[in-house]
Amino acid sequence: MTPAGVRAAYERIRGEAGPGVTVVVATKYVALPEMAILAEAGVEVVGENRAQDLLAKHEAYGAAFRWHFIGRLQSNKVKVVNRTCELVHSLDSESAARRLAVPALLEVSLAGEATKSGVPPDAVAGFLERYPTIRGLMTMPPFTDDPEASRPLFRRLRELAARHGLRELSMGTSQDWRVAVEEGATLIRVGSVVLQG
């Protein structure tokens, strides 16, 4: 991982995704010292999965990035997120929602995988009524080597968001971000396709 390589990959993805899409670079596997490479490469928005890593990275590089939380949000970690992040992509519980002070995207489970977080589609309306900080939806489709396999789930999320008047959609990762953009993503969460640069 070099600054020049990361910059080239990041700019290529931003260019392909277009001006209406925020590229969030996932930093789950980026060690604290390597965050300097992302800063030097011009990465603007980073997304962290773990609250303890978020805290350490934010303390060292707080002003270098805009910070998003993209991992499972436990209610006892909300204070850290409230202090450091501008957006949470992965809200999926009432207990976290009650404590959250920053805007959030509600994670929706569309594939019904037991190992994935998210609320069922029929729970979206209730969350929106109770928590006005929710400004969009997020989903994580099952892992697949075929990006097209994710398209129906991305389309369903877009349709669900439209029914509720929501415009923000966080969907798409390194393997399927192009399909997600075609289906209306406004935020994509990419890691390996940028970090291998």
Side-chain angles (χ1 to χ4, degrees):
M1 184 167 76
T2 66
V6 170
R7 181 184 296 275
Y10 178 66
E11 292 300 333
R12 177 183 53 79
I13 292 168
R14 286 180 66 185
E16 286 185 44
V21 179
T22 299
V23 177
V24 181
V25 176
T27 57
K28 180 178 181 178
Y29 299 111
V30 178
L32 183 59
E34 293 174 324
M35 295 294 290
I37 295 171
L38 301 185
E40 187 178 337
V43 169
E44 295 175 7
V45 184
V46 294
E48 184 54 58
N49 286 65
R50 301 180 191 104
Q52 63 272 20
D53 292 342
L54 169 66
L55 190 58
K57 290 172 182 176
H58 189 271
E59 284 176 358
Y61 297 98
F65 308 103
R66 292 166 39 211
W67 298 82
H68 291 196
F69 190 76
I70 60 175
R72 180 86 189 264
L73 182 60
Q74 298 171 322
S75 56
N76 64 339
K77 304 295 185 186
V78 170
K79 285 182 183 177
V80 170
V81 171
N82 282 339
R83 288 197 316 263
T84 57
C85 293
E86 69 177 22
L87 182 66
V88 171
H89 291 235
S90 49
L91 180 65
D92 72 345
S93 77
E94 296 266 356
S95 59
R98 283 192 295 271
R99 295 169 172 84
L100 198 59
V102 297
L105 307 176
L106 186 64
E107 184 172 357
V108 182
S109 174
L110 294 173
E113 288 181 286
T115 58
K116 293 265 174 72
S117 303
V119 303
D122 60 3
V124 170
F127 268 86
L128 295 176
E129 288 171 13
R130 291 186 295 280
Y131 305 107
T133 57
I134 296 172
R135 67 182 201 198
L137 304 177
M138 184 272 260
T139 198
M140 282 289 296
F143 179 80
T144 175
D145 289 328
D146 178 13
E148 285 297 324
S150 300
R151 188 179 295 278
L153 297 175
F154 294 155
R155 185 170 294 145
R156 281 181 59 202
L157 191 73
R158 183 190 69 215
E159 292 166 353
L160 182 62
R163 280 199 301 274
H164 293 287
L166 299 170
R167 298 184 59 186
E168 295 289 329
L169 290 173
S170 175
M171 54 189 196
T173 58
S174 288
Q175 73 268 12
D176 55 15
W177 67 267
R178 287 181 180 89
V179 173
V181 168
E182 290 170 3
E183 291 298 333
T186 59
L187 301 112
I188 55 174
R189 307 172 309 272
V190 295
S192 59
V193 295
V194 171
L195 302 176
Q196 291 170 356

